[in-house]
Amino acid sequence: MTKLLFVCHGNICRSPMAEFVMKDLVKKAGLEGDFQITSAATSAEELGNPVYPPARRKLAEHGIGCDGHSARRLTGRDYDEYDLLIGMDQENLRDMRRICGGDRAGKLHLLLDFTGRPGDVADPWYTGDFEAAWRDVLEGCRGLLGFIKKTEARRDGAKG
């Protein structure tokens, strides 16, 4: 089982979008049982809040629900619990390193690092551009899933 944790500042826009997009992608690929996917915040500002309404609407436009989400904060224990912790921007990554006490096992990454155009997922909280965030998140999640499949195939090949 591959355990993924998506991380952004408040856990109400980008990281829950990535969580639910990735859940949708793995479900469509018939891989639901192979993944545990969730999300968290680097701050305490939005704890307990649901997905921000414009992000919820953007997901719904694509037939993806996000009911039951409640913002939570990243903890140091999450580093040991998850295989990959995926931040949305450099600031998230810096905060993730601080909260997790570094990255001794190389688990911390940016979502767009799994695409042909590494960088930050723009924060729609500030830009208001949820369409651009959607495109970045979808591309990043597709790239991440492809990376995981290739990694698993190599691992399985090494066992055989």
Side-chain angles (χ1 to χ4, degrees):
M1 168 146 327
T2 301
K3 296 179 180 181
L4 303 176
L5 180 63
F6 294 99
V7 181
C8 70
H9 182 77
N11 192 217
I12 61 168
C13 293
R14 295 173 295 168
S15 62
M17 285 177 76
E19 171 188 348
F20 290 102
V21 165
M22 192 66 156
K23 285 178 177 177
D24 186 63
L25 291 173
V26 300
K27 181 178 182 179
K28 287 176 178 172
L31 300 171
E32 279 178 292
D34 297 337
F35 286 86
Q36 178 183 328
I37 304 165
T38 193
S39 60
T42 59
S43 76
E45 295 168 25
E46 300 288 346
L47 295 183
N49 287 336
V51 175
Y52 189 56
R56 176 184 297 274
R57 285 191 295 274
K58 185 52 67 180
L59 289 168
E61 281 177 28
H62 298 277
I64 300 172
C66 57
D67 290 341
H69 176 78
S70 179
R72 77 165 186 92
R73 189 157 189 216
L74 177 69
T75 69
R77 288 187 308 271
D78 287 326
Y79 190 85
D80 294 324
E81 176 70 22
Y82 291 90
D83 299 309
L84 294 170
L85 293 83
I86 310 296
M88 299 298 124
D89 63 34
Q90 287 293 333
E91 184 178 335
N92 300 152
L93 199 55
R94 184 191 71 233
D95 291 340
M96 291 162 65
R97 283 188 186 106
R98 178 182 47 79
I99 293 166
C100 295
D103 185 18
R104 61 198 175 279
K107 296 180 176 188
L108 305 181
H109 302 274
L110 290 176
L111 182 59
L112 290 180
D113 286 351
F114 297 96
T115 71
R117 53 180 192 87
D120 294 348
V121 174
D123 193 341
W125 180 263
Y126 298 106
T127 66
D129 190 348
F130 285 84
E131 180 60 30
W134 163 262
R135 287 190 308 266
D136 284 350
V137 165
L138 181 60
E139 183 181 356
C141 286
R142 284 178 174 159
L144 175 58
L145 183 56
F147 169 81
I148 292 167
K149 286 170 144 180
K150 285 178 191 166
T151 301
E152 290 299 316
R154 280 194 298 270
R155 206 174 289 143
D156 290 344
K159 291 179 191 174

